[in-house]
Amino acid sequence: MGKIYAIKSFKELSNEELYQILKLRSEVFVVEQHCVFQDMDNKDQESLHVMCYIDDKLAAYTRVLPEGLSFEEVSIGRVITSPLYRGLGVGKEIMEQSIAVCEKLFGITPIRIGAQLYLKKFYNEFGFVEIGDLYIEDGIVHIEMVRNSNN
C-alpha cells in the first residue's frame, strides 16, 4: 500500500486533484451524511490543501485556512476520510499532518475548528477542547473547538 502526502495551494492543484477533492467531499458530506449544502464556499482559493493518497486514490483530506478566513484563528476544515480507507489510521495521520502544516506556516498558535459533535473525542486526542455552545450547521450538531498553542 503506497501512501503519499501532498500539501498544495489552490493554484498548485491539478484539475484531477481538485476533482478528486470535490468528489470526496460531496460523497461524504452531501451523500453519506444526507446534508444538502453549498460545499464550495470561496475559501478553497485561500487555503492549503492537505491530501493523503493511497495507491493513487485520495484517502483523506483537510484544508488549512489562514486566520481571519473562517475564524479569527488559523483553522483546519473539511476533515474527511474516504469510506474505502476508514479504520486504517489515515484520519489521525491527516490531522497530525495538518497541525504540523499550521505550525510550520503560522507558528505555534491556537487552531480553531468547527467540529461535528460526534467527532469531539477524536479531536480531543489532538488537544482540541470544546468552547462555546452547540450549534446546528447544515442540519448537523457542531461545536467549536480550539487547540491552544501549549498543547
Side-chain angles (χ1 to χ4, degrees), residues 30-90:
V30 177
V31 177
E32 181 180 297
Q33 296 182 351
H34 306 287
C35 185
V36 177
F37 80 112
Q38 181 63 45
D39 176 45
M40 290 169 275
D41 57 5
N42 291 313
K43 295 179 182 177
D44 289 315
Q45 297 91 324
E46 302 301 319
S47 300
L48 279 176
H49 303 271
V50 183
M51 302 162 283
C52 173
Y53 289 93
I54 296 177
D55 298 331
D56 297 323
K57 293 189 173 103
L58 185 61
Y61 166 86
T62 70
R63 67 178 181 185
V64 171
L65 301 94
E67 58 187 27
L69 191 55
S70 275
F71 299 107
E72 185 176 309
E73 301 88 352
V74 169
S75 63
I76 300 170
R78 299 295 197 263
V79 179
I80 192 167
T81 301
S82 168
L84 300 174
Y85 298 100
R86 291 183 186 152
L88 301 177
V90 291

Side-chain angles (χ1 to χ4, degrees), residues 114-125:
Q116 293 182 4
L117 183 61
Y118 83 96
L119 291 169
K120 182 175 72 83
K121 288 183 181 178
F122 172 78
Y123 293 116
N124 287 151
E125 293 179 31

Side-chain angles (χ1 to χ4, degrees), residues 100-120:
V101 167
C102 289
E103 291 176 348
K104 181 178 179 183
L105 293 176
F106 306 108
I108 305 299
T109 185
I111 302 168
R112 184 178 295 244
I113 60 174
Q116 293 182 4
L117 183 61
Y118 83 96
L119 291 169
K120 182 175 72 83

Side-chain angles (χ1 to χ4, degrees), residues 70-73 75 111-117 120 123-124 128-137 141-147:
S70 275
F71 299 107
E72 185 176 309
E73 301 88 352
S75 63
I111 302 168
R112 184 178 295 244
I113 60 174
Q116 293 182 4
L117 183 61
K120 182 175 72 83
Y123 293 116
N124 287 151
F128 287 91
V129 294
E130 317 72 72
I131 58 168
D133 297 324
L134 300 178
Y135 63 96
I136 304 292
E137 183 176 311
V141 181
H142 283 70
I143 187 150
E144 285 188 17
M145 301 181 80
V146 170
R147 182 180 191 274

